Amino acid sequence: MTVNELIEMLKNCPGDMRVLTLGYEGGYNDIQIKTDEVVFNFSKNDAWYYGPHETVRYTDNDTGTTCLIITREK
């Protein structure tokens, strides 16, 4: 998903609607937004619970693509 695709989806929501993400073991948390350098389809982590993309600092790559990351607030 791109930022433009996300904006288009959000246009259909009321401006005062809360934005949440899944909690660690249950429930919901408020979101935190950051950016990170990401390597796409990094296949070293093949366990089902790992996502297919990885931050550059955990790979052998020197560069990645800057991405918007939405996580749960700490």
Side-chain angles (χ1 to χ4, degrees), residues 30-43:
D30 290 313
I31 66 166
Q32 175 178 317
I33 296 177
K34 63 180 187 169
T35 59
D36 202 352
E37 294 291 311
V38 174
V39 177
F40 291 100
N41 301 312
F42 183 75
S43 60

Side-chain angles (χ1 to χ4, degrees), residues 5-60:
E5 291 169 332
L6 178 60
I7 289 169
E8 285 303 311
M9 289 179 69
L10 292 173
K11 285 180 181 179
N12 296 317
C13 300
D16 60 349
M17 181 183 280
R18 295 287 303 266
V19 178
L20 303 173
T21 190
L22 294 174
Y24 181 72
E25 296 229 10
Y28 296 95
N29 290 82
D30 290 313
I31 66 166
Q32 175 178 317
I33 296 177
K34 63 180 187 169
T35 59
D36 202 352
E37 294 291 311
V38 174
V39 177
F40 291 100
N41 301 312
F42 183 75
S43 60
K44 209 177 231 184
N45 299 324
D46 55 359
W48 66 268
Y49 47 84
Y50 282 107
H53 316 304
E54 186 61 84
T55 183
V56 167
R57 66 181 165 274
Y58 298 129
T59 72
D60 296 335

